[in-house]
Amino acid sequence: MVRIVTDSTADLTKEQQQAAGITVVPLNVHFGDQVFRDHVDLTADEFFRRLKASSQLPRTSQPAVGVFEEVYRSLRQNGDEIVSVHLSSRVSGTYNAALMAARAVDADAIEVVDSLSTSMALGFMALEGTKLARAGRDRATVDRIDRVRGCESVTRKR
């Protein structure tokens, strides 16, 4: 089976994640010296409350390579292949962290896709990947989720 992994910038609800079986790796949100995992330790309501109260704008940072490695190893234990689609490499190092983790875990079974997108555009790509996987498509077919964007220029590396 092909499993889909994405990051928290895809803005998928918990219900969407669970219904589609998508694994979401959270980015980190920094408010001053405090660090929160996006949509895990910090809800949207809490984010906006802190945003109003803070004199500084928050920053984000990519998940550590080790976080992706843990997710990939967990999914590979069942023999599943993985298509991992992430926030544009043009705005974050998340894609590169996922790529390094895939190489460390099993590059032959994990395809990392640079969506060149963010937010729900990325979320729609992850959801499309799940539909393809559930239709019995193989990893090579599932990683063609770029059709959601209407183009063929999504970056793939192993």
Side-chain angles (χ1 to χ4, degrees):
M1 177 177 195
V2 178
R3 301 291 303 270
I4 304 299
V5 175
T6 193
D7 58 72
S8 59
T9 67
D11 289 328
L12 296 172
T13 66
K14 291 282 185 208
E15 293 79 15
Q16 288 172 311
Q17 293 170 36
Q18 291 171 350
I22 295 172
T23 302
V24 176
V25 178
L27 269 68
N28 301 302
V29 179
H30 303 257
F31 274 99
D33 293 337
Q34 293 184 295
V35 181
F36 304 92
R37 291 174 297 161
D38 188 27
H39 298 293
V40 176
D41 306 320
L42 186 67
T43 65
D45 289 342
E46 179 67 9
F47 173 85
F48 288 111
R49 188 190 65 72
R50 286 179 175 275
L51 185 62
K52 281 178 82 173
S54 178
S55 61
Q56 294 180 327
L57 291 175
R59 303 177 293 112
T60 60
S61 63
Q62 68 206 35
V65 173
V67 173
F68 282 109
E69 286 180 7
E70 287 177 29
V71 167
Y72 295 159
R73 281 193 179 97
S74 175
L75 294 173
R76 287 290 298 139
Q77 282 181 348
N78 297 327
D80 292 333
E81 292 187 309
I82 300 165
V83 174
S84 195
V85 57
H86 296 287
L87 171 65
S88 175
S89 64
R90 294 177 181 168
V91 297
S92 173
T94 302
Y95 166 77
N96 287 320
L99 187 59
M100 287 190 288
R103 289 176 177 159
V105 173
D106 189 348
D108 292 332
I110 304 169
E111 191 77 32
V112 180
V113 178
D114 182 350
S115 71
L116 301 176
S117 297
T118 188
S119 194
M120 273 312 293
L122 170 58
F124 289 137
M125 294 173 91
L127 291 168
E128 179 66 15
T130 298
K131 287 179 190 174
L132 293 168
R134 286 185 173 168
R137 303 294 177 90
D138 63 12
R139 182 172 46 93
T141 302
V142 172
D143 84 353
R144 300 301 307 193
I145 57 181
D146 54 357
R147 74 186 94 216
V148 173
R149 274 190 357 161
C151 72
E152 298 292 323
S153 64
V154 171
T155 304
R156 289 173 200 79
K157 293 184 184 174
R158 285 193 187 165

